[in-house]
Amino acid sequence: AHAVSSEQLLFLEAWRAVDRAYVDKSFNGQSWFRVRETFLKKESFESRSQTYDAIRKLVASLDDPFTRFLEPSRLSELRRGTQKSSVTGVGLEVTFTEGSGLAGSLLKVVTPAEGGPADRAGVRPGDVILAVDDKPTMGISLYEASDLLQGGAPHSVSRVRRAPGPPFLLPLTPLVHITRLSELVVIRPVSYALCSGVKPAVGLKGESGGPEGAGDVRVGYVRVSTFNSNTLEGVTSALKDAQAAGADGLILDLRNNGGGLFPAGVQVAKLLMSGGDIVLISDSAGVRDIYTADGTSSLDTRTPLSVWVNKGTASASEVLAGALKDSGRGVVVGENTFGKGLIQTVVELSDGSGLAITVAKYQTPAGLDINRVGITPDIRLPPDQLASGGSAVCEQLAGPAAPRVFG
């Protein structure tokens, strides 16, 4: 028998972490024990870099873009990221297109950061990134993409293609060019505006009787761009302002919200729901956890609520939209959401590196599996029929062509 080296022990630690936690117990149709033995026999473990390469190959065999290896610096960066209020780069959140395995996939835009270089250039959810700095994106990892899209010299260029159909039918449309400046993209998770003089066509009747006369319809517009450590405080403040102003309705705008901290999305749901299930968590053995609202954190459970979504609404924001829809608390307006319903946990390894492992799936209170399906709106409106930004939304709601956005 041969002694197991310290490098092999680290590899085995990573293998066990996946074995215990991964949601798919078929491990992408592989015998996970046989995979372990094959790697130990065929891979080199003479250095830490070789061990890291073996672990990367191990998780790549799962063909899951969200289960990934994190070097120590990546793990530290991931933990800091949930606290960030700004980032330097073009301002894009990306995932993979569906192709023949990860090696045959391209990068797809989940959402552009509001006001960032990509947003200003017209990049939209669903666009496909063909190349960054003339480097093709097919087969690269999300971390490599992050390095390319963030920071860097002002002369580099990202090339993006609008994707109206299957991503591999090239070329379909001209490329969009984004000059990637070293620009600080500020992350403002919540913004608020009070809209007065809202037309009855939106589906509300005025009860506030504001300064513009009895029956003046007011709507509190709450835009949530991401879920981070500051989101709950921002939404709480916005809801209190809307209550103080006597708003007749609320709009919760989750368009182009790619998710973020799952607990923050649950906390926002608790502000708006008097009770009931928020989300079901299911793994390979079925439903294993249920998050519920018990009314103790409620702030506004009665004001009519319109929840705006689009293709860039993903993950934690889909959980929130699904909870508000299934509970009957709000009417969902817009287009089908992105469909990212997988949950990852981060496991730290003994040397300071780690693994992000897909451990479960989200289901709405009605039992809908969000992943690759998304949330279907109650009122379907194309993107060009809903304004963006507080002042533009208020102007639209008070204008002659105000859309119906309340039930």
Side-chain angles (χ1 to χ4, degrees):
H2 296 282
V4 178
S5 70
S6 60
E7 297 302 326
Q8 288 173 318
L9 285 174
L10 182 61
F11 173 83
L12 288 171
E13 187 182 350
W15 179 92
R16 282 193 297 269
V18 176
D19 181 55
R20 292 169 180 166
Y22 193 57
V23 64
D24 175 14
K25 292 309 178 185
S26 78
F27 299 98
N28 194 29
Q30 306 176 98
S31 168
W32 200 235
F33 290 95
R34 183 171 295 175
V35 168
R36 179 189 67 181
E37 296 308 309
T38 299
F39 270 76
L40 288 174
K41 289 177 181 178
K42 294 186 176 181
E43 296 295 323
S44 295
F45 296 94
E46 300 298 325
S47 66
R48 187 54 47 95
S49 63
Q50 288 182 337
T51 303
Y52 284 176
D53 285 342
I55 296 174
R56 291 189 192 97
K57 292 177 185 177
L58 178 74
V59 296
S61 73
L62 298 170
D63 199 23
D64 175 359
F66 304 107
T67 295
R68 55 205 188 272
F69 174 67
L70 308 165
E71 300 91 340
S73 60
R74 293 289 190 192
L75 181 57
S76 298
E77 182 182 341
L78 177 66
R79 287 173 169 166
R80 289 195 305 269
T82 57
Q83 306 297 326
K84 283 183 180 179
S85 59
S86 62
V87 65
T88 300
V90 299
L92 280 177
E93 181 177 342
V94 296
T95 186
F96 287 112
T97 61
E98 293 182 23
S100 302
L102 297 186
S105 297
L106 294 167
L107 291 176
K108 180 168 67 172
V109 175
V110 177
T111 181
E114 264 186 279
D119 186 36
R120 296 197 303 270
V123 178
R124 295 295 175 260
D127 286 1
V128 170
I129 301 178
L130 293 176
V132 180
D133 301 336
D134 295 323
K135 179 179 180 179
T137 62
M138 184 174 290
I140 72 172
S141 71
L142 290 178
Y143 289 113
E144 289 175 303
S146 176
D147 287 342
L148 290 170
L149 293 168
Q150 294 186 24
H155 303 297
S156 54
V157 174
S158 302
R159 299 187 294 172
V160 181
R161 178 180 63 85
R162 186 63 51 80
F168 301 107
L169 302 180
L170 303 176
L172 291 180
T173 58
L175 297 176
V176 176
H177 293 267
I178 308 168
T179 300
R180 186 190 63 206
L181 301 173
S182 295
E183 179 175 325
L184 193 67
V185 180
V186 178
I187 302 170
R188 298 184 178 90
V190 182
S191 59
Y192 169 75
L194 179 67
C195 304
S196 298
V198 175
K199 297 296 184 183
V202 303
L204 290 175
K205 295 181 180 179
E207 298 178 0
S208 56
E212 296 183 23
D216 174 37
V217 179
R218 299 177 180 180
V219 170
Y221 172 79
V222 185
R223 164 72 181 146
V224 181
S225 62
T226 191
F227 292 103
N228 63 19
S229 57
N230 300 315
T231 302
L232 177 62
E233 179 182 358
V235 174
T236 299
S237 176
L239 292 179
K240 287 181 177 178
D241 286 350
Q243 286 180 326
D248 302 292
L250 292 169
I251 291 173
L252 181 64
D253 190 349
L254 300 177
R255 291 175 296 172
N256 294 339
N257 182 328
L261 289 179
F262 166 73
V266 171
Q267 289 169 334
V268 171
K270 290 181 177 181
L271 293 177
L272 295 164
M273 295 172 59
S274 59
D277 294 342
I278 297 172
V279 63
L280 314 179
I281 307 297
S282 64
D283 59 16
S284 57
V287 175
R288 66 173 174 87
D289 205 355
I290 301 175
Y291 288 80
T292 61
D294 59 11
T296 58
S297 302
S298 298
L299 187 57
D300 188 332
T301 64
R302 299 177 62 87
T303 305
L305 177 65
S306 178
V307 184
W308 291 9
V309 300
N310 68 356
K311 293 178 182 177
T313 304
S315 196
S317 57
E318 291 178 284
V319 167
L320 176 57
L324 297 173
K325 176 182 179 178
D326 286 1
S327 67
R329 174 64 184 91
V331 56
V332 177
V333 179
E335 55 185 344
N336 276 59
T337 61
F338 186 83
K340 197 274 186 182
L342 299 176
I343 304 168
Q344 288 75 42
T345 191
V346 176
V347 178
E348 184 172 358
L349 302 179
S350 56
D351 76 328
S353 62
L355 292 166
I357 303 174
T358 298
V359 294
K361 296 181 179 181
Y362 296 126
Q363 291 181 358
T364 71
L368 173 68
D369 185 349
I370 295 173
N371 198 48
R372 299 186 180 182
V373 177
I375 304 298
T376 302
D378 300 300
I379 300 175
R380 190 177 293 277
L381 290 176
D384 60 358
Q385 290 190 21
L386 290 174
S388 297
S391 58
V393 168
C394 289
E395 183 178 349
Q396 182 183 38
L397 298 181
R404 184 175 187 86
V405 293
F406 290 89

